[in-house]
Amino acid sequence: MSGETFTFQGGSVAPGEAKNFRYTVSETYLGDAVRIPVTIINGKKPGPSVFLSAAAHGDELNGVEVVREIAQTGLSGGDLTDIGGTLVCLPVLNVPAFIAQQRYLPIYDRDLNRSFPGSESSTSSKRMAHRIFTNFIAPCDLGVDFHTSTRGRTNVVHVRADMSDEAVARLAHAFATNVIISSDGPTGSLRREASDAGTPTITVEMGKAHRFQRPLIDRALEGVKSVFAEFEITDSEQVRWPGWRTVIATSEDKTWLRADVGGLVDMHFEQGALVHEGDVICTITDPFLVDTESVTAPFTGLLVGVLENPLVYPGNPICHLVKLTDRTKRAVQLDQDAVDRS
């Protein structure tokens, strides 16, 4: 819990202070510093230390805007330090990839989000991860790491979290998305390694790469506001209820549908759509529109992620489908009917 000075190697932020700075995590081939932007807001009142991070993959931009807006304007436009606890805002974790506008580090193409908690004597990516993790992640009480889908696909806003961990589950519920996909996460990912190290962390997936998508950014800001209310970082807002929720806990409740043939894809549903067992989600055709392959839903569920690039090889993922209970299915149908009428 905060209420004390937040310290990191090379600096500190006292209660009631807010600082913007760039922190060195590596060096270029020319020996110039690679520095990540950091904002630390240490509240005047005691409370939890929370990190908000984005762009561990350099082309995933929606979360950058979420973290940046919170860091520089807050959620209510008031005094940023008039909070309970400390905010550690890391809008761009992977600066080299961000500059190159690609997913992975342009240093042997390594994935920074498989390099945590890092090592001070290992590869370039693990050294960078170590500097970030030890200074800004491990000292926090909880964290939210923002991502988007990879290039050519898009996701609805949803949370990924280890729901078997009570502290992580509380954080996941507080963010208040309709869909939570439960898993402990890949080895080396920020949320898994942070949670294992005692900092409960969730991943928020939202939209597509290379874009600012304002409706999704606004939705994520509402989720952060809800987290702040749950953990009493702010006292002026209520914890949000998304209207309906499904927690996907087993591999049987989710599937990636993949192309069995190569060709051009015609999607018949958008992300977030409710599809029923047997529905044709898309068709794949050759250049002559002669051979057609239909991809059908194996069960009734929600399309959490869908293909946007209409070209596929055999084996390419087309959509991410999660199961819904009958009760949740009715709630989703009512929700989507209301949207259609508006």
Side-chain angles (χ1 to χ4, degrees):
M1 302 295 285
S2 188
E4 301 178 350
T5 298
F6 186 95
T7 60
F8 53 93
Q9 186 177 4
S12 63
V13 183
E17 289 186 339
K19 290 185 179 179
N20 294 320
F21 57 95
R22 299 176 189 269
Y23 194 78
T24 299
V25 295
S26 189
E27 294 181 354
T28 71
Y29 293 126
L30 296 175
D32 298 323
V34 173
R35 300 183 298 167
I36 65 169
V38 181
T39 298
I40 297 179
I41 303 161
N42 201 346
K44 300 171 184 176
K45 299 174 288 188
S49 299
V50 184
F51 79 82
L52 304 172
S53 59
H57 295 132
D59 58 356
E60 299 182 0
L61 304 183
N62 277 326
V64 175
E65 189 64 7
V66 174
V67 178
R68 188 174 67 155
E69 288 191 23
I70 293 167
Q72 304 309 320
T73 65
L75 291 171
S76 61
D79 182 356
L80 289 174
T81 62
D82 191 24
I83 59 171
T86 303
L87 301 184
V88 178
C89 299
L90 308 162
V92 182
L93 289 180
N94 193 339
V95 166
F98 181 82
I99 292 171
Q101 267 306 277
Q102 64 184 49
R103 182 176 176 84
Y104 300 129
L105 280 162
I107 309 163
Y108 303 117
D109 211 30
R110 294 189 185 274
D111 188 346
L112 182 63
N113 201 38
R114 296 297 183 270
S115 302
F116 293 100
S119 168
E120 60 184 340
S121 60
S122 185
T123 63
S124 54
S125 60
K126 288 191 174 182
R127 290 178 187 225
M128 187 181 299
H130 172 77
R131 292 277 289 172
I132 295 169
F133 197 89
T134 56
N135 284 285
F136 304 114
I137 305 301
C140 289
D141 298 305
L142 57 140
V144 181
D145 186 33
F146 292 93
H147 286 261
T148 76
S149 187
T150 190
R151 182 177 57 189
R153 300 202 298 269
T154 187
N155 287 327
V156 299
V157 179
H158 68 280
V159 163
R160 298 185 183 183
D162 182 2
M163 299 299 282
S164 66
D165 183 317
E166 185 176 341
V168 174
R170 179 188 175 193
L171 176 58
H173 282 121
F175 198 86
T177 55
N178 296 119
V179 177
I180 300 172
I181 297 178
S182 181
S183 70
D184 53 6
T187 299
S189 63
L190 179 54
R191 74 170 169 97
R192 174 169 180 164
E193 301 303 336
S195 296
D196 287 350
T199 301
T201 299
I202 62 172
T203 292
V204 175
E205 293 280 351
M206 47 186 295
K208 65 182 78 171
H210 296 291
R211 299 287 189 280
F212 279 166
Q213 296 170 281
R214 192 69 239 180
L216 303 187
I217 292 166
D218 289 342
R219 173 64 190 83
L221 288 169
E222 289 297 315
V224 175
K225 185 184 298 184
S226 182
V227 168
F228 286 2
E230 168 69 17
F231 291 91
E232 299 181 349
I233 297 163
T234 58
D235 56 12
S236 59
E237 302 292 342
Q238 293 183 339
V239 179
R240 188 176 186 272
W241 167 242
W244 60 268
R245 174 182 288 140
T246 184
V247 178
I248 308 302
T250 68
S251 59
E252 289 75 23
D253 292 331
K254 59 186 177 182
T255 186
W256 273 101
L257 299 182
R258 295 180 178 272
D260 289 329
V261 298
L264 291 80
V265 180
D266 181 16
M267 294 293 301
H268 303 321
F269 294 89
E270 297 181 350
Q271 63 165 4
L274 174 66
V275 298
H276 295 85
E277 182 177 351
D279 282 350
V280 177
I281 295 174
C282 71
T283 52
I284 306 172
T285 59
D286 66 15
F288 307 107
L289 293 174
V290 175
D291 295 322
T292 301
E293 177 87 7
S294 296
V295 178
T296 60
F299 51 76
T300 297
L302 193 78
L303 289 176
V304 172
V306 298
L307 182 78
E308 288 211 319
N309 182 342
L311 310 179
V312 291
Y313 274 106
N316 283 170
I318 293 173
C319 63
H320 192 188
L321 181 66
V322 299
K323 277 186 181 178
L324 300 176
T325 65
D326 288 340
R327 180 178 179 181
T328 304
K329 181 173 64 177
R330 289 193 294 272
V332 173
Q333 189 67 67
L334 288 171
D335 193 33
Q336 295 191 355
D337 288 346
V339 172
D340 291 341
R341 289 194 298 271
S342 62

